[in-house]
Amino acid sequence: MIEKIGIIGAGAMGSSIAEVFAFNGYSVYLKDQNMEYVNRGISHVRKVLDDYQSYMDSMPDKEIKRIERNGIELTETQKNTIKKNLGKQLDIDGIISNIHPVESYKELSQCGLVIEAVFEKQEIKNDLFRELSGYFGENTILASNTSSLSITEMAANYKYPENNIIIHFFNPPYTMPLVEIVPALQTGSKTVETAYSLISGLRNHRDAMVPVKAKERSGFIVNRILIQLINEAIKIVEEGIADEKSVDIGMKKGAGFPMGPFELGDYVGLDIVYDVLKSFNKAYGDAYIPPERLKNMVIAGYLGRKTGKGFYEYGK
């Protein structure tokens, strides 16, 4: 039974994955290039939890107002019952205390599962797997959070390739319940079963986590569809069929999407969209050729929300 989780990479994604496991009571060991990055990641976890507490604090009053808008007058006793049932106080300090900053890979050797969430480049991940071969034994599952890269190639650099697998969380994992489970060619069935079972037992802030199994093909399930959705949306604008806002409204109001493709691209980061499209272009051909407009926006530094400008502009 896995009780200790290692996370390599304390950026927004890595720290958010750490938050999910800590939220579920696991002991999490967080590693990055230096302790400044680790501490920054833990600060991010605290902000996520503070925001969640603020959201939960607002829920009882919102429910009371919703009921009263329907013409139902509530007694003070009924209001207090709603507040008692909907109100929830997180043990934020307790959750944070489940996350242990570490300085060396050796300190992760006690973990039953280690997930890397480092920079999304195949060579970087291959090198990391090669280095970690000297630290982890045959009882540690080493997983990648990659959204599109080859776990088979990573596993070829690892001492125990049967223990390698992709456990791909979606951003942000504390609200997005889906997790793609993707084995390498070398992955053992026990590793797949353990990963699937572990994720099935987790909850995030909204719901139970939901693992799905996929074969190793670039983009797996969700990103292969979503990235092409963004690509096709850009083509529609380039062809003069509609503008960005109209496309986004169309997909939200006509197809039930929570975000339009241009909003999604800005949220993900247009540099990431561009890199993934180039990767898909190599894997699947001309249907995934990145548009010139997207290429030029990346060159100009218009990367979306993180730079304040992408398909839309955002206040600082």
Side-chain angles (χ1 to χ4, degrees), residues 218-235:
S218 189
F220 320 132
I221 302 170
V222 176
N223 281 343
R224 182 170 173 181
I225 295 171
L226 284 184
I227 293 297
Q228 183 64 321
L229 177 76
I230 297 170
N231 196 25
E232 200 64 32
I234 297 171
K235 292 177 185 177

Side-chain angles (χ1 to χ4, degrees), residues 230 233 244-245 247-249 251-252 257-270 303-305 311-312 314:
I230 297 170
E244 292 90 345
K245 186 175 181 180
V247 172
D248 279 348
I249 291 172
M251 294 309 295
K252 288 189 290 185
F257 283 37
M259 299 175 72
F262 292 105
E263 293 170 327
L264 178 63
D266 279 355
Y267 181 80
V268 170
L270 299 186
L303 307 183
R305 285 184 173 275
F311 293 114
Y312 301 104
Y314 304 88

Side-chain angles (χ1 to χ4, degrees), residues 4-8 27-30 108 111-116:
K4 297 178 179 180
I5 307 293
I7 305 293
I8 300 174
S27 293
V28 181
Y29 296 81
L30 187 59
L108 300 177
C111 299
L113 169 66
V114 176
I115 303 174
E116 69 79 14

Side-chain angles (χ1 to χ4, degrees), residues 80-130:
N80 289 334
T81 299
I82 290 172
K83 291 177 181 179
K84 181 180 178 181
N85 290 337
L86 289 184
K88 181 180 178 183
Q89 192 66 39
L90 284 177
D91 181 9
I92 293 177
D93 288 337
I95 295 170
I96 293 289
S97 71
N98 288 335
I99 303 177
H100 311 281
V102 299
E103 295 187 87
S104 70
Y105 292 133
K106 185 177 180 180
E107 295 174 85
L108 300 177
S109 62
Q110 62 187 310
C111 299
L113 169 66
V114 176
I115 303 174
E116 69 79 14
V118 302
F119 198 62
E120 190 77 346
K121 292 290 184 182
Q122 187 75 55
E123 298 77 13
I124 292 175
K125 293 181 186 288
N126 291 349
D127 289 344
L128 176 63
F129 273 56
R130 189 178 300 112

Side-chain angles (χ1 to χ4, degrees), residues 173-223:
Y174 45 85
T175 60
M176 299 291 282
L178 186 70
V179 180
E180 291 175 323
I181 305 292
V182 185
L185 185 62
Q186 309 96 315
T187 304
S189 59
K190 183 180 178 182
T191 299
V192 177
E193 292 166 7
T194 301
Y196 192 92
S197 176
L198 180 70
I199 297 302
S200 296
L202 298 178
R203 294 189 63 86
N204 66 13
H205 296 179
R206 292 182 179 175
D207 209 343
M209 302 299 284
V210 181
V212 292
K213 297 177 184 177
K215 291 183 179 180
E216 185 185 4
R217 290 297 304 274
S218 189
F220 320 132
I221 302 170
V222 176
N223 281 343

